[in-house]
Amino acid sequence: MWPVTTHADLADKYRLATKAPNLHLKPSERPKTLDLVSAKNPAARNQEPTTNFVYFLKREFTRDQQQHGLYDGQQGGAVIKTLLSTPSPTPIQIFALTRNPTSPRSQSLAKDLRITLISGDATDSEAIFAQTGPIDSVFLVTIHGPAGFEEQQAESLITASLAHGVTHFVFSSADRGGDILSEDNETDVPHIASKHRIEKMLKRKTDGTSMKWTILRPVSFMDNLTDDFKGKGFAAMWRLVGKRRIQLVWASDVGTFAAMALLDPKRFEGRAVGVAGDELNFEEAAEVFKREMGREFPASPCVVGKVIRWSLGDIGAMFKWFETGGFKVDIQKARAEFTGLKDFRGWLREESEFVTGG
């Protein structure tokens, strides 16, 4: 067990920020935020000494990618909310990368003067650094695409980060069977295998350098469960797994872990941290749902789940993997790191978009 630092205050501040962010306040009224690194970026020594930089990778998603269950934007939103709500004597500047700076989501971020939108693509990271200047810390969430696309994003950003004096690189990966097995188990699930290769790349490229790394290994997102066709399809594929339990996490909790790593790099550097909030099979989840929401768990018929599983090769491979292996994060260990981790019941009550009854 890693040494545990109490994060109750951080959890409380995060929950408050999630419900009521400070975007409506004037800059002078907004809370100051914590310096993200203990050692200054050498390239920034000639700059204003009270200002450090974090580079936060945020990508807009196409409708098809959302249907594949990618909720990385929610991780990013939690990172920003936690960073901006944590008091400190020194402020930070957040650079948020987007392919569409005029989108409603991007414009809502831009209302806070501590956030600067950067238009660009992670596969051309040198162009990004040309816009930002010195950066202390990087948070990367790759997006799924053709074979090798995630690795291409990561290699570009890792290489540029090393060249520009970044001191801490946080990567959101995926669990592959627990702390020990995840080190060498690539799995047959394409998007999970890509993240395994990126982990190896990150460790190899930073070996012997001054840039430290932290790897987060989340499990399936509770956010995949919704009251529409996409969410019901995910539930149908879950039902096909049978009695085996699947580990789940709220996507925003992963973002909170990322913010914790950025805020406390000495505690997290050189660590791979599994992140999960609950473990249930479909029947158990359905019981919790009915008890909390007063109605049946919304799920498509099994035949629909089989069709979706067959048509979505990557996601289908993941659910096949659930039948024989699957995620094995130590949930007690994760909750010791962050006591605010939501279980399925808590997510349904406080964060999900499901409505009761009906």
Side-chain angles (χ1 to χ4, degrees):
M1 180 72 70
W2 290 95
V4 174
T5 302
T6 300
H7 281 268
D9 290 342
L10 177 61
D12 290 341
K13 291 181 179 69
Y14 168 66
R15 283 191 287 270
L16 178 62
T18 302
K19 299 297 182 184
N22 297 299
L23 300 183
H24 64 286
L25 299 178
K26 297 177 182 178
S28 60
E29 298 172 330
R30 293 173 185 149
K32 293 182 178 179
T33 50
L34 185 64
D35 185 345
L36 294 187
V37 291
S38 56
K40 302 292 184 184
N41 185 336
R45 286 174 182 163
N46 295 327
Q47 291 191 222
E48 178 72 27
T50 60
T51 303
N52 279 335
F53 293 83
V54 64
Y55 171 77
F56 162 63
L57 177 63
K58 178 179 177 63
R59 298 295 295 271
E60 303 295 326
F61 294 92
T62 66
R63 184 177 301 274
D64 287 343
Q65 288 165 327
Q66 287 180 339
Q67 289 173 341
H68 282 214
L70 300 178
Y71 286 89
D72 302 320
Q74 289 168 278
Q75 293 184 53
V79 173
I80 287 180
K81 288 174 182 176
T82 304
L83 293 177
L84 296 185
S85 65
T86 305
S88 171
T90 54
I92 60 169
Q93 179 67 35
I94 298 174
F95 291 99
L97 179 66
T98 175
R99 290 182 296 179
N100 184 8
T102 62
S103 71
R105 177 184 290 177
S106 296
Q107 287 302 302
S108 68
L109 290 175
K111 293 178 182 178
D112 193 301
L113 298 182
R114 293 166 292 179
I115 301 173
T116 301
L117 297 180
I118 300 296
S119 180
D121 191 297
T123 58
D124 186 11
S125 297
E126 282 295 336
I128 297 167
F129 277 88
Q131 298 177 68
T132 64
I135 294 170
D136 287 326
S137 303
V138 170
F139 172 54
L140 171 64
V141 179
T142 54
I143 59 171
H144 185 51
F149 183 55
E150 291 192 57
E151 293 92 325
Q152 185 183 3
Q153 298 165 59
E155 183 168 18
S156 173
L157 189 53
I158 293 168
T159 301
S161 295
L162 286 166
H164 290 274
V166 170
T167 58
H168 190 205
F169 195 105
V170 180
F171 172 54
S172 184
S173 182
D175 179 72
R176 294 175 296 278
D179 289 346
I180 296 175
L181 195 58
S182 290
E183 290 299 315
D184 298 307
N185 182 29
E186 184 172 288
T187 80
D188 294 325
V189 184
H191 73 275
I192 295 179
S194 291
K195 291 173 174 59
H196 176 262
R197 291 190 288 270
I198 292 171
E199 287 187 21
K200 296 297 185 184
M201 179 197 308
L202 177 60
K203 293 176 182 178
R204 183 178 67 252
K205 283 182 169 289
T206 57
D207 186 34
T209 73
S210 60
M211 189 168 84
K212 308 301 182 182
W213 54 263
T214 299
I215 294 168
L216 302 178
R217 291 173 176 161
V219 296
S220 286
F221 294 143
M222 298 175 187
D223 314 62
N224 285 321
L225 297 166
T226 54
D227 230 342
D228 56 11
F229 178 79
K230 174 174 67 70
K232 292 176 181 178
F234 187 93
M237 290 186 285
W238 186 2
R239 177 156 46 192
L240 291 172
V241 177
K243 298 290 185 181
R244 288 185 67 91
R245 291 186 172 97
I246 292 177
Q247 290 189 331
L248 300 169
V249 68
W250 182 33
S252 288
D253 278 345
V254 184
T256 300
F257 266 82
M260 288 163 52
L262 293 168
L263 292 165
D264 194 358
K266 290 296 183 184
R267 177 182 169 213
F268 284 90
E269 64 184 34
R271 294 179 55 191
V273 182
V275 188
D278 212 338
E279 185 172 26
L280 312 93
N281 61 35
F282 179 84
E283 289 184 2
E284 292 167 337
E287 289 175 5
V288 172
F289 188 94
K290 187 170 185 178
R291 189 161 55 246
E292 295 299 323
M293 309 309 293
R295 60 190 178 99
E296 298 298 324
F297 193 15
S300 297
C302 285
V303 64
V304 175
K306 290 179 180 179
V307 171
I308 297 173
R309 188 167 157 171
W310 172 80
S311 61
L312 299 179
D314 196 337
I315 301 301
M318 182 177 71
F319 275 91
K320 183 178 181 180
W321 177 57
F322 288 160
E323 294 175 359
T324 57
F327 305 121
K328 290 183 173 60
V329 168
D330 185 332
I331 296 178
Q332 279 190 311
K333 183 177 176 181
R335 187 159 278 116
E337 297 275 11
F338 174 51
T339 57
L341 264 174
K342 289 279 190 299
D343 61 10
F344 185 58
R345 177 179 288 105
W347 174 75
L348 283 173
R349 286 177 176 174
E350 302 172 31
E351 308 297 344
S352 79
E353 297 182 0
F354 288 112
V355 296
T356 58

